C-alpha cells in the first residue's frame, strides 16, 4: 500500500532504492493523496516529470531536526503552510483559538505553527543552508506583497522577505513549479529563473521598463492607508496572464518583483493532471487517528474546472486561481468517475461535480482566452456584462453523462452555485433538472446580504435576484413533487455594512422565516479586495470612503442580529435596536424581533421572557413554524468542506 503513495519516510526511499530526493516538500497539512489537496497534485506533477519527491507533513517546528528526516534534497525544498492560511486555520474572526483542524489527523488542532510558511522556511534554512527554498500555496500566494494582517492588526512585509525564501510560486503553480524544477535540474541559478511566469523574487536591481509597474513601497503603504489602497489597486489590475505587467515593490534597499501570472491550463493539461495516479485517500499512517476529516466531503467529488469570474470581493479565489475558467473534458471526468466507482468505499453517490463555482464551466466570454479579462469591468455581480456567455448546456450535459454511469445512484451539486448567472441564462430547465436529480434536500446559495450598497461592495447580485431564484426553485420542486429547501449564506460586518443594514437583514430573515443556526462573520484574510476596504476604510477601485465595523462590540451586534431568536443574544440585540432607533422591533407584534424585557429582569435568561404561548397564538392564529432549515455556514474557514480548488503548495 505505501508504495502507491508519495515518499514520506526513509523506509519508503529504501524500498524504492533511492539514496537522495530531488525535492523535499514541507507541508503544513496531513498528506492526503487526492486531487483536491495541493501537496498531492504538485508532488504527482513533479513525479510524472521523473523527479523524486518526498513529503514531510506537519513537522515539529521547534527544532531543525524533523526537517532533516528525508535528507538533503538534491534540487530544492518546497514549502507550504497547507490548504488554508495558517492564521485562519488557527484562529476565528474573534481571534480565538479554534478547537479543531480538519486538515490534521483526527481533526486535532495545533499541528502547525502560526505563520507556518515563515517558520518552516527558517527551519529548513537552518537544516540546509545552501538548499534553494521555494514557497507557495494560499498563504504565500496572497501575502506576496506588503499586506494587512488582521491577526496582528498591522501591515507586514512580503512573506518572501520574512521567510528569506529564494522564490515564491503564486497561483495554482503547476506551470511554474515544473519550469523551476527543470531549470534547477539544468544547473541554473535562482537568478536565471527570473523570467518564469507566476513567481516572485527579491532583488537589489529590479527590471524597470515600460512593461513594469512600480508600486508604492512597504514603508509608504504602512504609513498611509490611502497609499495602501492605491498600491492594492495597482496589484489588483495586473493579475491577468495576457496583459498583466511585472510588479515591483520596494522595502528598504530590496525589491519584491512579481512576474506576470502563469497562462491558464489547457483542457489537455488539466486532464493529464487530474488523471495522475492519486489514491484518493489519506496516507495509511493516519489510520490509527481516524484519518483526515477534510477528505470526507471531497473523496467522491469531481473537479470539473478551476478559476472563477464571480469576483466576490471577500474571496481570494479569483486572485489565486484566476478569473479565467479552465475546464476538463467530459471524457476525462467520466474516466475519473469510473475509477471512483470501483473504490471499495464508494456507495453510489458522487458528492459534487464542480469547482469554485459549480455552474461556471467555461470562460465568461471567448475573448478571455486570447486577450484576458476586462481590466475595469466585472463579468457578474451588481451588473451583468452584456457579452457574458451564460449557457449552461455543457454543464447540464456533463451531469447527465455522469449520472447515467452504471454504479452511480446520485450525483449531487454541492459546490457554490451562482444563481444570478442562472437567471441571466433564463434557464428554468436547468433549475428543474438540478432539483430533480442533483439536490439532496438542500441547495446552498450565497446572497450574503440584502442591502444593495452592501452587496455592491461584496461584488454580489442584489437580493431581488435571490428572491427570483427562490421562486424558480420552489416552482421546480412543486412541479416534480419534492420538498427541498434553499440554504442561504449571509455575512455580518462586511465593509460598508452598518448597524442599520444589519437590522434590515434581520428583518429580511424574519419575513422569510429563516433561522440561521450558524452565521459567517467577515474575516479580513490577506489579498482580498474586502480586506483592503476593511483596513483602509476606502474602496481601492473607486477611492470612495467605506464604513467599517471594527470594534468587537459592533461586530458582535451585527452577528447577533442575524440570530435574534437565540436567547443568549437577547441583550446585545436589544442594545443594537435601541442604538438604531428601532424600538418598534421590540414587542409582541408580528414584525417584532424580540419581546420587551420583563420588569426587574436583566436578561441572564435572555429572551426566554417571551410572551406566553397562549398570547402568541392569539396574536398570530394559525401561524406555522418556519419553513427553511437552519443555515450551517463554515465555508470560508476551517471546518468547511475541503474544496477542490487546490493551489500550488497550498
Amino acid at each position: 500500500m505505501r508504495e502507491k503513495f508519495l515518499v514520506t519516510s526513509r523506509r519508503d526511499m529504501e524500498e524504492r532504492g533511492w539514496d537522495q530526493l530531488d525535492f523535499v516538500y514541507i507541508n503544513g497539512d496531513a498528506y492526503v493523496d487526492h486531487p483536491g489537496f495541493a501537496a498531492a497534485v504538485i508532488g504527482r506533477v513533479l513525479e510524472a516529470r521523473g523527479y523524486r519527491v518526498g513529503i514531510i507533513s506537519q513537522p515539529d517546528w521547534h527544532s531543525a531536526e524533523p526537517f532533516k528526516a528525508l535528507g538533503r534534497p538534491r534540487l530544492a525544498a518546497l514549502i507550504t503552510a497547507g490548504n488554508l492560511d495558517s492564521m485562519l486555520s488557527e484562529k476565528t474572526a474573534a481571534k480565538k483559538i479554534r478547537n479543531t483542524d480538519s486538515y490534521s489527523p483526527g481533526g486535532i488542532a495545533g499541528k502547525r505553527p502560526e505563520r507556518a510558511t515563515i517558520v518552516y522556511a527558517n527551519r529548513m534554512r537552518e537544516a540546509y543552508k545552501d538548499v534553494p527554498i521555494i514557497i507557495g500555496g494560499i498563504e504565500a500566494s496572497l501575502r506576496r506583497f506588503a499586506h494587512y494582517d488582521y491577526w496582528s492588526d498591522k501591515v507586514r512585509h512580503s512573506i518572501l522577505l520574512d521567510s528569506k525564501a529564494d522564490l515564491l510560486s503564486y497561483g495554482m503553480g503547476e506551470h511554474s513549479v515544473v519550469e523551476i524544477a527543470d531549470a534547477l535540474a539544468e544547473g541554473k541559478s535562482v537568478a536565471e529563473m527570473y523570467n518564469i511566469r507566476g513567481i516572485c523574487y527579491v532583488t537589489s536591481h529590479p527590471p524597470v521598463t515600460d512593461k513594469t509597474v512600480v508600486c508604492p513601497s512597504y514603508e509608504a503603504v504602512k504609513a498611509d492607508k490611502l497609499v495602501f489602497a492605491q498600491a492594492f489597486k495597482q496589484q489588483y489590475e495586473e493579475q491577468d496572464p495576457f496583459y498583466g505587467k511585472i510588479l515591483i515593490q520596494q522595502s528598504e534597499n530590496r525589491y519584491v518583483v512579481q512576474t506576470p501570472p502563469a497562462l491558464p491550463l489547457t483542457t489537455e493539461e488539466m486532464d493529464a493532471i487530474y488523471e495522475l495516479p492519486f489514491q484518493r485517500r489519506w496516507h495509511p499512517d493516519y489510520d490509527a487517528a481516524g484519518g483526515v476529516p477534510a477528505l470526507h466531503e471531497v473523496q467522491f467529488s469531481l473537479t470539473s474546472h478551476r478559476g472563477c469570474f464571480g469576483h466576490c470581493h471577500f474571496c481570494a479565489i479569483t486572485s489565486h486561481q484566476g478569473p479565467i475558467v479552465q475546464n476538463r473534458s467530459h471524457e476525462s471526468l467520466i474516466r475519473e468517475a469510473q475509477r471512483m466507482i470501483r473504490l471499495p468505499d464508494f456507495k453510489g453517490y458522487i458528492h459534487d461535480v464542480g469547482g469554485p463555482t459549480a455552474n461556471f464551466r467555461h470562460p465568461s466570454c471567448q475573448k478571455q482566452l486570447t486577450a484576458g479579462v476586462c481590466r475595469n469591468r466585472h463579468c457578474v455581480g451588481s451588473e451583468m456584462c452584456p457579452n457574458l456567455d451564460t449557457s449552461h448546456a455543457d454543464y447540464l450535459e456533463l451531469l447527465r453523462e455522469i449520472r447515467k454511469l452504471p454504479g452511480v445512484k446520485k450525483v449531487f451539486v454541492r459546490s457554490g452555485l451562482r444563481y444570478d448567472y442562472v437567471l441571466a441564462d433564463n434557464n428554468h430547465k436547468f433549475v428543474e433538472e438540478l432539483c430533480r436529480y442533483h439536490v439532496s434536500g438542500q441547495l446552498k446559495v450565497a446572497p450574503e446580504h440584502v442591502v444593495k450598497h452592501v452587496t455592491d461592495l461584496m461584488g454580489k447580485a442584489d437580493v431581488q435576484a435571490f428572491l427570483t431564484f427562490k421562486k424558480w426553485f420552489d416552482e421546480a420542486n412543486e412541479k416534480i413533487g419534492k420538498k427541498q429547501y434553499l440554504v442561504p449564506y449571509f455575512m455580518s460586518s462586511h465593509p460598508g455594512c452598518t448597524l442599520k443594514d444589519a437590522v434590515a437583514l434581520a428583518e429580511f430573515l424574519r419575513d422569510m422565516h429563516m433561522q440561521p443556526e450558524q452565521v459567517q462573520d467577515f474575516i479580513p484574510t490577506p489579498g482580498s479586495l474586502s480586506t483592503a476596504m476593511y483596513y483602509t476604510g476606502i474602496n481601492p477601485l473607486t477611492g470612495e470612503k467605506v464604513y467599517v465595523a471594527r470594534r468587537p462590540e459592533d461586530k458582535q451586534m451585527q452577528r447577533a442580529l442575524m440570530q435574534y431568536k437565540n436567547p443568549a443574544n437577547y441583550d446585545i440585540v436589544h442594545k443594537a435596536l435601541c442604538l438604531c432607533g428601532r424600538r418598534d422591533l421590540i414587542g409582541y407584534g408580528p414584525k417584532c424581533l424580540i419581546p420587551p424585557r420583563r420588569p426587574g429582569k436583566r436578561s441572564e435568561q435572555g429572551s426566554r421572557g417571551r410572551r406566553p404561548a397562549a398570547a402568541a397564538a392569539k396574536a398570530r392564529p394559525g401561524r406555522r413554524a418556519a419553513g427553511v432549515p437552519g443555515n450551517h455556514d463554515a465555508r470560508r474557514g476551517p471546518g468547511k468542506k475541503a474544496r477542490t480548488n487546490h493551489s500550488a503548495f497550498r
Side-chain angles (χ1 to χ4, degrees), residues 137-346:
I138 198 78
E139 180 166 279
S141 186
L142 300 180
R143 294 174 180 265
R144 56 191 184 264
F145 291 109
H147 58 279
Y148 172 69
D149 181 81
Y150 170 68
W151 292 274
S152 61
D153 192 27
K154 67 180 184 180
V155 176
R156 294 180 62 95
H157 289 100
S158 163
I159 197 170
L160 255 178
L161 298 172
D162 287 339
S163 67
K164 301 178 178 62
D166 296 283
L167 292 174
L168 185 157
S169 171
Y170 72 89
M172 299 301 280
E174 290 96 344
H175 279 158
S176 59
V177 76
V178 167
E179 288 190 60
I180 291 168
D182 291 346
L184 289 169
E186 292 169 11
K188 292 182 178 179
S189 67
V190 170
E192 293 177 282
M193 303 180 205
Y194 290 170
N195 62 337
I196 294 175
R197 283 175 166 268
I199 67 166
C200 296
Y201 60 90
V202 178
T203 182
S204 300
H205 304 286
V208 180
T209 69
D210 60 351
K211 295 183 179 180
T212 61
V213 173
V214 179
C215 303
S217 68
Y218 162 75
E219 290 78 14
V221 301
K222 183 178 180 181
D224 190 324
K225 291 183 178 181
L226 177 58
V227 176
F228 184 102
Q230 292 167 346
F232 181 89
K233 184 174 187 289
Q234 287 178 307
Q235 296 156 14
Y236 186 83
E237 292 180 345
E238 299 297 337
Q239 299 308 315
D240 188 275
F242 292 98
Y243 60 73
K245 294 182 178 180
I246 295 171
L247 289 166
I248 300 169
Q249 185 174 55
Q250 184 175 3
S251 181
E252 298 173 342
N253 61 345
R254 296 170 295 176
Y255 298 84
V256 174
V257 181
Q258 174 190 291
T259 64
L263 293 171
L265 295 176
T266 65
T267 295
E268 293 73 22
E269 287 172 330
M270 280 197 71
D271 286 352
I273 288 168
Y274 284 90
E275 294 193 65
L276 291 170
F278 298 101
Q279 297 305 296
R280 305 189 76 87
R281 59 156 301 178
W282 57 70
H283 193 276
D285 286 351
Y286 308 133
D287 287 345
V292 182
L295 175 63
H296 294 305
E297 277 292 335
V298 299
Q299 185 174 13
F300 301 117
S301 295
L302 297 170
T303 299
S304 67
H305 58 277
R306 66 167 62 158
C308 182
F309 52 82
H311 292 284
C312 298
H313 295 164
F314 48 80
C315 179
I317 289 175
T318 298
S319 297
H320 188 65
Q321 291 198 8
I324 300 174
V325 171
Q326 306 138 73
N327 56 33
R328 295 172 60 191
S329 69
H330 290 212
E331 294 77 13
S332 175
L333 286 157
I334 293 297
R335 287 192 294 269
E336 184 178 355
Q338 289 170 334
R339 290 193 297 273
M340 190 187 300
I341 290 166
R342 294 193 292 269
L343 293 175
D345 296 334
F346 184 72

Side-chain angles (χ1 to χ4, degrees), residues 531-561:
T531 297
M533 293 184 205
Y534 175 89
Y535 172 61
T536 64
I538 299 167
N539 181 346
L541 302 187
T542 65
E544 297 173 340
K545 290 186 177 180
V546 176
Y547 168 79
V548 177
R550 287 194 181 88
R551 294 192 313 143
E553 186 180 34
D554 293 336
K555 294 167 71 69
Q556 184 186 16
M557 284 190 286
Q558 290 204 23
R559 185 182 180 92
L561 280 163

Side-chain angles (χ1 to χ4, degrees), residues 280-543:
R280 305 189 76 87
R281 59 156 301 178
W282 57 70
H283 193 276
D285 286 351
Y286 308 133
D287 287 345
V292 182
L295 175 63
H296 294 305
E297 277 292 335
V298 299
Q299 185 174 13
F300 301 117
S301 295
L302 297 170
T303 299
S304 67
H305 58 277
R306 66 167 62 158
C308 182
F309 52 82
H311 292 284
C312 298
H313 295 164
F314 48 80
C315 179
I317 289 175
T318 298
S319 297
H320 188 65
Q321 291 198 8
I324 300 174
V325 171
Q326 306 138 73
N327 56 33
R328 295 172 60 191
S329 69
H330 290 212
E331 294 77 13
S332 175
L333 286 157
I334 293 297
R335 287 192 294 269
E336 184 178 355
Q338 289 170 334
R339 290 193 297 273
M340 190 187 300
I341 290 166
R342 294 193 292 269
L343 293 175
D345 296 334
F346 184 72
K347 306 299 182 184
Y349 300 98
I350 293 178
H351 296 162
D352 191 22
V353 180
T357 301
N359 55 328
F360 286 178
R361 242 301 270 186
H362 51 72
S364 59
C365 68
Q366 288 302 306
K367 174 186 81 71
Q368 291 187 353
L369 296 176
T370 55
V373 299
C374 298
R375 186 184 291 272
N376 296 309
R377 190 177 193 174
H378 288 173
C379 306
V380 298
S382 55
E383 295 180 359
M384 289 280 177
C385 175
N387 297 320
L388 184 66
D389 179 357
T390 62
S391 174
H392 284 66
D394 179 69
Y395 186 49
L396 200 53
E397 181 58 33
L398 175 63
L399 292 173
R400 290 169 180 165
E401 290 175 8
I402 294 173
R403 72 177 184 241
K404 289 177 182 176
L405 291 175
V408 173
K409 297 177 182 177
K410 190 87 171 181
V411 178
F412 297 117
V413 174
R414 289 178 175 169
S415 51
L417 183 78
R418 192 75 184 228
Y419 54 81
D420 51 338
Y421 186 62
V422 178
L423 299 179
D425 192 25
N426 195 28
N427 202 326
H428 288 267
K429 184 176 181 180
F430 173 77
V431 177
E432 182 181 332
E433 200 155 327
L434 185 75
C435 293
R436 187 182 295 275
Y437 297 109
H438 304 293
V439 176
S440 56
Q442 299 180 353
L443 178 67
K444 298 175 183 178
V445 293
E448 305 295 359
H449 214 280
V450 299
V451 178
K452 189 174 188 319
H453 73 85
V454 179
T455 54
D456 285 350
L457 288 169
M458 290 177 160
K460 301 291 290 189
D462 64 36
V463 70
Q464 189 56 47
F466 168 69
L467 294 174
T468 301
F469 181 76
K470 183 179 185 304
K471 182 173 181 290
W472 286 19
F473 182 83
D474 292 343
E475 289 172 349
N477 281 297
E478 184 177 359
K479 181 178 179 180
I480 64 178
K482 287 189 174 185
K483 289 185 177 181
Q484 300 189 119
Y485 304 95
L486 287 181
V487 179
Y489 289 132
F490 292 102
M491 181 185 291
S492 64
S493 304
H494 186 276
C497 184
T498 65
L499 194 56
K500 180 181 177 182
D501 299 328
V503 172
L505 175 54
E507 291 184 280
F508 176 84
L509 294 172
R510 173 204 63 202
D511 295 342
M512 297 296 293
H513 312 308
M514 295 178 182
Q515 301 176 43
E517 295 179 8
Q518 296 183 26
V519 299
Q520 177 67 42
D521 195 7
F522 170 67
I523 303 178
T525 51
S528 76
L529 177 58
S530 295
T531 297
M533 293 184 205
Y534 175 89
Y535 172 61
T536 64
I538 299 167
N539 181 346
L541 302 187
T542 65

Side-chain angles (χ1 to χ4, degrees), residues 570-571 574 597-606:
Y570 182 89
D571 284 339
H574 190 282
R597 281 203 183 97
R598 289 185 294 175
K601 286 275 186 182
R602 289 298 292 171
S603 133
E604 345 22 270
Q605 297 185 359

